[in-house]
C-alpha cells in the first residue's frame, strides 16, 4: 500500500480500492484474500447486514468480532465471532389440520468453528382433536301450512342433518329446506287505511328548558277509516300509529335555579408538612340563576383538609440500654470475687430520626462502679421474694391457666462504697451471677411456681 497526497491514480478500478480520509487518498491493491465486510449479523437468519465495503482482508474485517464477511456476493455470510447458535426461528405450521401432527423450528450456527447440539427441534401439535366427517340427512318433514290464508302463497318442508350427525364441524351435502307454491282458493280481506290528520292539540308545557335541546310537544290524531278493515274475512288494521307530534318552539324559556360550582382553593394549606386545613370557596354559577330562577342555598365558603405530601421531621428516640459490659479494670488487675471495685459500661442508640428531625438529647454511653461476683460462691444464703402478681391467662378461650412465682435472690456481701476523688462517693453495683441458693421450698432452691385455672373463659369456636 502507498499513500498519495494530491495525486490521481489512473490504474484500472477493478484492481485498486481508493479511500479518501482527511484529504489523503489511500490506494489498496485487491488480493485473493479480500472480502466484503459487514457491520452486523442477523442472529435469527444468520444473514450479513449493514454493508461496509470491500477491499480488506477477512482478518482486518474481523478486527471487530461483531463484524461479518462474504468471500463474494453469492457466498454465505461468515461471522467473525466464535461459533454460536442463532435464536430459534418461528415454529413451522402443523403438518396436519386435524388430530396430531408435528411442527419444526431451526437455528443457524453463526461464527467461526462448530456449534454443539442440533439445529432442528420438533414438537407435537394438534389444531383440533378430530377430523371433519360429513353427516347424513333424515327423512323430509311434512309440508307446512300455506304461508297465506287467501289467494296464493308458499309452503315448505325441512330435514335434519343427523342421520348420522356430522363430526368435528362438518355438515351435510345438499339443502335442509324445500319450498313450493300453494293456493288457498280463498278471497283476501280488505285492509284498513288511514284518514286525514286532525288539528294540533295544546303544547305539553308552557316553557322551554334552555340548553336541553328538547322542546314541549303538541299532538294530533287520525282515524283508520279510509277504508275501515273488513270483518269477514278479517282485514288488517292500519299500520303505524294514530298519533303524531311536533315541537313547540315559540314558548319562553323556563326559570333556571342556581347551582353551586366546584369548590376552589381560597387560601394556602395551614401547614408545610403532613396534612392541615385549607379554606375553599364556590360560586353560584353551575348554572347561575336565570329567567327568574332561585339563588343557590348554602354557604359559599368552607374549610377542608389539605395534604402537602411532604413528610414532617421525625425526632430520634433512644433504644433501651444495652447489657452492661463485663465488670473489670482497664489495667487488667484481678477484681473477681473481691471487694476491689472496677468499672463497666453500657450504650444506647438514637434511632428513628428522619426527614431532618432532631437527634436524641442526653448521653449515648454511661458507666458505673461495680463489684465482679460472676460465678463467685456467696457466704450468706439467698432469700425468697414475695409471690409475684398473677400472670395472664394462657388462652383467651376454653381451658386456660395463670401462674405466679417466687425467686431466690442473692444476699450480697457487705462491701464498702467506693470513693472517687476527694469528695465524691459513687454508688457501686454488684455484677454477674454468683453461686448461691435458698432454703428449700417445695423441693426447689432457686425458683418456685404456682398455677391455677382461669375460670369462666368463653368456649372456643
Amino acid at each position: 500500500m502507498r499513500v498519495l497526497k494530491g495525486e490521481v491514480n489512473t490504474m484500472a478500478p477493478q484492481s485498486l480500492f481508493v479511500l479518501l480520509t482527511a484529504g489523503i487518498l489511500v490506494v489498496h491493491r485487491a488480493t485473493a484474500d479480500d472480502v466484503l465486510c459487514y457491520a452486523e449479523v442477523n442472529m435469527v437468519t444468520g444473514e450479513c447486514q449493514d454493508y461496509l465495503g470491500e477491499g480488506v482482508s477477512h482478518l482486518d474485517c474481523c478486527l471487530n468480532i461483531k463484524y461479518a464477511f462474504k468471500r463474494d456476493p453469492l457466498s454465505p455470510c461468515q461471522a467473525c465471532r466464535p461459533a454460536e447458535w442463532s435464536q430459534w426461528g418461528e415454529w413451522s405450521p402443523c403438518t396436519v389440520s386435524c388430530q396430531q401432527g408435528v411442527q419444526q423450528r431451526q437455528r443457524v450456527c453463526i461464527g467461526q468453528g462448530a456449534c454443539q447440539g442440533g439445529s432442528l427441534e420438533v414438537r407435537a401439535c394438534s389444531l383440533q382433536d378430530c377430523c371433519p366427517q360429513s353427516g347424513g340427512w333424515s327423512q323430509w318433514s311434512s309440508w307446512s301450512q300455506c304461508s297465506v290464508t287467501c289467494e296464493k302463497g308458499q309452503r315448505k318442508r325441512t330435514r335434519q342433518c343427523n342421520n348420522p350427525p356430522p363430526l368435528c364441524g362438518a355438515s351435510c351435502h345438499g339443502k335442509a329446506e324445500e319450498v313450493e307454491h300453494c293456493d288457498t282458493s280463498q278471497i283476501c280481506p280488505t285492509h284498513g287505511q288511514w284518514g286525514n290528520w286532525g288539528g294540533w292539540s295544546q303544547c305539553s308545557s308552557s316553557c322551554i328548558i334552555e340548553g336541553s335541546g328538547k322542546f314541549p310537544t303538541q299532538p294530533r290524531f287520525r282515524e283508520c277509516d279510509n277504508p275501515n278493515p273488513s270483518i269477514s274475512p278479517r282485514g288488517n288494521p292500519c299500520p303505524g300509529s294514530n298519533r303524531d307530534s311536533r315541537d313547540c318552539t315559540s314558548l319562553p324559556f323556563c326559570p333556571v335555579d342556581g347551582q353551586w360550582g366546584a369548590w376552589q382553593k381560597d387560601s394556602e394549606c395551614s401547614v408545610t408538612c403532613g396534612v392541615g386545613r385549607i379554606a375553599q370557596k364556590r360560586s353560584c354559577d353551575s348554572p347561575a340563576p336565570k329567567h327568574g330562577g332561585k339563588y343557590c342555598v348554602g354557604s359559599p365558603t368552607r374549610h377542608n383538609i389539605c395534604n402537602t405530601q411532604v413528610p414532617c421531621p421525625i425526632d430520634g428516640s433512644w433504644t433501651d440500654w444495652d447489657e452492661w459490659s463485663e465488670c473489670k479494670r482497664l489495667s487488667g488487675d484481678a477484681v473477681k470475687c473481691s471487694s476491689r471495685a472496677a468499672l463497666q459500661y453500657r450504650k444506647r442508640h438514637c434511632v428513628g430520626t428522619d426527614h431532618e428531625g432532631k437527634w436524641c438529647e442526653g448521653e449515648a454511653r454511661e458507666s458505673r462502679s461495680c463489684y465482679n461476683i460472676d460465678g463467685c460462691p456467696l457466704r450468706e444464703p439467698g432469700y425468697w421474694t414475695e409471690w409475684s402478681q398473677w400472670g395472664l391467662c394462657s388462652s383467651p378461650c376454653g381451658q386456660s391457666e395463670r401462674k405466679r412465682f417466687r425467686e431466690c435472690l442473692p444476699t450480697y456481701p457487705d462491701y464498702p462504697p467506693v470513693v472517687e476523688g476527694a469528695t465524691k462517693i459513687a454508688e457501686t453495683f454488684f455484677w454477674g451471677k454468683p453461686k448461691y441458693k435458698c432454703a428449700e421450698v417445695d423441693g426447689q432452691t432457686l425458683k418456685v411456681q404456682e398455677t391455677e385455672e382461669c375460670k369462666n373463659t368463653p368456649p372456643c369456636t
Side-chain angles (χ1 to χ4, degrees):
M1 179 182 297
R2 56 195 180 92
V3 179
L4 307 178
K5 294 187 178 180
E7 182 178 331
V8 178
N9 190 290
T10 59
M11 297 182 67
Q14 64 270 21
S15 63
L16 294 176
F17 300 98
V18 182
L19 302 176
L20 178 60
T21 304
I24 299 176
L25 286 174
V26 180
V27 182
H28 177 80
R29 185 176 303 276
T31 68
D33 193 38
D34 287 347
V35 296
L36 308 178
C37 192
Y38 295 81
E40 292 183 12
V41 181
N42 188 310
M43 291 305 294
V44 175
T45 65
E47 294 296 323
C48 289
Q49 294 179 338
D50 193 6
Y51 176 65
L52 296 177
E54 59 184 349
V56 296
S57 68
H58 84 275
L59 295 177
D60 289 341
C61 182
C62 289
L63 291 174
N64 187 333
I65 64 169
K66 295 182 180 179
Y67 284 7
F69 63 90
K70 289 185 178 182
R71 296 293 183 184
D72 58 64
L74 300 181
S75 297
C77 180
Q78 298 185 48
C80 294
R81 70 192 67 191
E84 62 177 307
W85 287 113
S86 70
Q87 301 173 16
W88 285 105
E90 298 293 329
W91 287 103
S92 67
C94 197
T95 54
V96 295
S97 60
C98 58
Q99 295 183 343
Q100 190 178 84
V102 294
Q103 295 174 284
Q104 296 181 352
R105 67 175 182 178
Q106 293 180 323
R107 59 181 178 177
V108 179
C109 184
I110 299 173
Q112 304 299 307
C115 299
Q116 298 296 319
S119 62
L120 180 67
E121 281 188 343
V122 180
R123 71 178 183 185
C125 56
S126 176
L127 300 180
Q128 58 183 27
D129 294 336
C130 58
C131 293
Q133 183 175 340
S134 299
W137 292 107
S138 67
Q139 297 296 322
W140 286 103
S141 67
S142 300
W143 287 102
S144 66
Q145 293 184 349
C146 197
S147 60
V148 297
T149 57
C150 63
E151 298 182 354
K152 295 182 180 180
Q154 292 181 331
R155 65 177 185 174
K156 65 180 181 180
R157 64 178 182 175
T158 60
R159 57 182 178 175
Q160 303 295 320
C161 183
N162 60 4
N163 188 32
L167 299 177
C168 202
S171 60
C172 293
H173 299 292
K175 296 182 178 180
E177 181 179 279
E178 283 187 345
V179 179
E180 69 176 11
H181 296 290
C182 53
D183 190 347
T184 64
S185 302
Q186 299 291 326
I187 299 173
C188 286
T190 300
H191 302 305
Q193 297 292 328
W194 291 111
N196 293 327
W197 287 102
W200 291 104
S201 301
Q202 186 176 0
C203 291
S204 59
S205 177
S206 60
C207 62
I208 300 172
I209 300 175
E210 183 180 10
S212 67
K214 297 181 180 180
F215 296 92
T217 60
Q218 56 183 161
R220 65 178 180 176
F221 299 91
R222 60 183 176 176
E223 299 292 336
C224 185
D225 58 2
N226 187 33
N228 289 315
S230 61
I231 297 176
S232 181
R234 174 72 64 181
N236 293 332
C238 296
S241 174
N242 69 335
R243 186 181 188 277
D244 186 21
S245 66
R246 70 179 182 183
D247 293 336
C248 300
T249 59
S250 60
L251 298 175
F253 286 120
C254 298
V256 177
D257 294 337
Q259 298 290 334
W260 291 112
W263 288 101
Q264 303 292 330
K265 184 174 72 171
D266 195 34
S267 71
E268 296 300 325
C269 193
S270 62
V271 296
T272 57
C273 67
V275 295
R277 298 181 65 84
I278 191 171
Q280 294 180 307
K281 65 180 181 180
R282 59 181 177 176
S283 301
C284 187
D285 58 1
S286 285
K290 296 174 68 174
H291 312 302
K294 298 177 182 179
Y295 194 79
C296 302
V297 178
S299 174
T301 61
R302 73 174 182 182
H303 287 83
N304 206 348
I305 194 169
C306 54
N307 187 350
T308 66
Q309 296 185 340
V310 174
C312 292
I314 300 175
D315 296 339
S317 60
W318 290 113
T319 62
D320 291 336
W321 286 101
D322 294 342
E323 295 292 331
W324 286 102
S325 65
E326 181 184 355
C327 181
K328 61 183 180 178
R329 289 188 175 185
L330 295 178
S331 62
D333 294 345
V335 295
K336 195 171 185 179
C337 303
S338 73
S339 60
R340 300 183 69 191
L343 287 176
Q344 59 183 163
Y345 305 89
R346 65 177 181 178
K347 296 187 297 184
R348 58 180 177 175
H349 306 276
C350 186
V351 297
T353 180
D354 202 359
H355 309 301
E356 300 182 356
K358 295 180 181 179
W359 193 254
C360 305
E361 295 183 0
E363 298 297 329
R365 176 186 172 97
E366 68 177 7
S367 62
R368 70 180 185 182
S369 296
C370 58
Y371 293 117
N372 188 332
I373 59 171
D374 189 40
C376 301
L378 300 182
R379 295 180 180 179
E380 300 294 330
Y383 63 93
W384 288 104
T385 63
E386 298 296 326
W387 285 106
S388 66
Q389 297 291 328
W390 285 104
L392 300 177
C393 292
S394 60
S395 174
C397 63
Q399 187 174 0
S400 182
E401 63 181 18
R402 62 178 186 169
K403 299 177 181 179
R404 68 175 182 174
F405 304 90
R406 289 182 69 188
E407 290 187 89
C408 175
L409 298 183
T411 302
Y412 292 111
D414 187 15
Y415 289 166
V418 176
V419 177
E420 296 183 356
T423 59
K424 185 178 179 181
I425 298 178
E427 183 181 2
T428 306
F429 298 85
F430 289 95
W431 176 83
K433 295 182 179 180
K435 296 179 180 179
Y436 67 96
K437 61 182 178 179
C438 294
E440 188 174 298
V441 174
D442 296 335
Q444 302 295 323
T445 58
L446 292 177
K447 189 174 184 178
V448 291
Q449 170 182 300
E450 277 191 350
T451 303
E452 73 174 15
E453 181 183 2
C454 291
K455 299 179 179 179
N456 299 318
T457 54
C460 295
T461 59

